[in-house]
Amino acid sequence: MGNPNDSQMHSIDNREFAIFWRCMVSVLAIVVALPTSAIAADDRLPIFDTHVHYSSQAWTVYDADAVFKKLDAAGVDRALVSSTPDDGTLILRRRDVRRVVPVLRPYHGDLHAGNWYRSPEIVAYLEGRLKNGFYRGIGEFHLFDDDDARTPTMRRVAALAVAHNIALHVHSGAGPIAALFDVEPNLKILWAHAGMVEPADVVANMLDRYARLTAEVAFRAGDIAPGGKLGPSWRRLFIRHTDRFMIGTDTYINDRWDVYGSLINEHRNWLDQLPRETAEAIAFGNADRVFGAEATSQ
Ligand SMILES: [Zn+2]
């Protein structure tokens, strides 16, 4: 027979132990639950979106907070941003100098896609803004035929890019890209939309021919993965030139900001059908290597 006090003591011990254990189980559940949700969020490939515009018509609809919320929700860690006018890029950059990598767009006032490359004033405008020192490129701009790449203005802009060791972000077919490299072989060019309508074999030939050419695939998810399934010619191209492709969305009008998350998801869909290493390079690594390293807190 034990002392009655002993059994009382034991029952208190047991009760305390039960309470203690229930607490531990709750804590364990939280500890287990937290990393699970964190892993679920991190499981998405981080994206470096190399074709973002924050142009004036967006400013009153999506303020900078709203833009960063959209990037966060889509898992976009960094963005190459150019805007009409350039002030839009500066608004976003002021908020986060690491995430926003600025590219200087020539378009402003009366200068637009159809006339900028013949404008004599544009060079002084670009030179003035490049003094900021933080731009990683000039663009995105349009060239419509080979002669547009050989105007006196375009030649001076190409020389400016080489002198500053920054890229040109060019929206054109294969012809003007070849003409630009002819004018200035030391250029670095990011080919917007991989030529927009150029088929995979033309893109492949261009990347084979020009070592300093990279391409982003804004607007191309439907060509790359018709019906959601990664096409064989694009798969071969991504494997062959893994280090040359980047993701882009092209938020040139507010409608594109409206559906920003789904534009990123279209790309995630075909990225998921590539080997992980290839997908990581295209989703983030290539853009970070080419454009990200020298982003500073200037
Ligand atoms: Zn664009």
Side-chain angles (χ1 to χ4, degrees):
M1 291 273 298
N3 186 322
N5 284 339
D6 277 355
S7 67
Q8 204 178 353
M9 289 286 287
H10 274 129
S11 76
I12 288 166
D13 281 355
N14 288 341
R15 210 162 52 234
E16 284 180 344
F17 181 75
I19 291 165
F20 167 79
W21 185 241
R22 269 201 301 275
C23 287
M24 281 306 291
V25 168
S26 310
V27 167
L28 279 172
I30 291 164
V31 167
V32 168
L34 274 178
T36 304
S37 57
I39 287 164
D42 288 347
D43 204 31
R44 295 185 304 177
L45 282 171
I47 301 279
F48 193 139
D49 182 350
T50 62
H51 198 142
V52 170
H53 304 295
Y54 186 53
S55 295
S56 54
Q57 83 272 10
W59 300 347
T60 51
V61 179
Y62 294 111
D63 64 13
D65 279 343
V67 167
F68 282 104
K69 270 189 198 135
K70 280 185 175 283
L71 300 183
D72 290 342
V76 171
D77 186 49
R78 304 187 78 179
L80 205 61
V81 181
S82 62
S83 310
T84 309
D86 180 54
D87 307 67
T89 300
L90 302 184
I91 291 168
L92 293 188
R93 183 180 182 275
R94 271 198 292 277
R95 301 293 291 268
D96 195 325
V97 296
R98 186 194 68 83
R99 292 181 79 179
V100 175
V101 180
V103 169
L104 177 54
R105 195 168 219 202
Y107 307 168
H108 67 285
D110 295 330
L111 295 176
H112 52 75
N115 66 5
W116 79 274
Y117 46 87
R118 298 189 193 284
S119 156
E121 312 116 70
I122 200 68
V123 178
Y125 172 82
L126 297 175
E127 275 174 338
R129 294 218 165 206
L130 286 174
K131 288 198 178 100
N132 282 326
F134 49 63
Y135 294 102
R136 304 298 305 137
I138 300 171
E140 176 222 13
F141 57 70
H142 297 68
L143 298 173
F144 299 96
D145 61 49
D146 301 7
D147 286 344
D148 300 343
R150 299 194 182 97
T151 63
T153 293
M154 191 60 248
R155 285 172 190 271
R156 291 180 67 192
V157 172
L160 209 51
V162 171
H164 285 261
N165 192 28
I166 57 178
L168 297 180
H169 188 186
V170 187
H171 178 142
S172 77
I177 298 293
L180 279 175
F181 279 121
D182 201 30
V183 164
E184 194 53 88
N186 291 324
L187 276 174
K188 286 185 286 189
I189 296 179
L190 173 60
W191 197 7
H193 316 284
M196 190 63 103
V197 293
E198 300 291 15
D201 61 331
V202 171
V203 178
N205 289 341
M206 291 294 282
L207 292 172
D208 287 346
R209 189 167 162 198
Y210 300 108
R212 302 168 73 85
L213 180 64
T214 52
E216 50 86 354
V217 292
F219 270 103
R220 300 304 298 271
D223 297 329
I224 292 167
K229 190 173 182 316
L230 178 60
S233 56
W234 285 93
R235 174 189 291 276
R236 277 196 301 277
L237 183 51
F238 291 139
I239 301 290
R240 179 177 175 82
H241 288 297
T242 295
D243 58 347
R244 312 280 285 281
F245 283 98
M246 303 173 194
I247 294 301
T249 53
D250 195 0
T251 51
Y252 74 107
I253 48 173
N254 289 343
D255 286 1
R256 304 284 287 177
W257 279 120
D258 296 345
V259 297
Y260 185 75
S262 66
L263 298 176
I264 290 293
N265 283 339
E266 279 178 354
H267 288 313
R268 289 190 187 282
N269 167 58
W270 59 260
L271 284 169
D272 285 345
Q273 297 170 57
L274 286 166
R276 179 80 183 185
E277 216 172 278
T278 309
E280 282 173 354
I282 296 171
F284 193 87
N286 294 338
D288 202 49
R289 185 187 70 245
V290 175
F291 293 107
E294 292 177 45
T296 66
S297 58
Q298 285 178 71

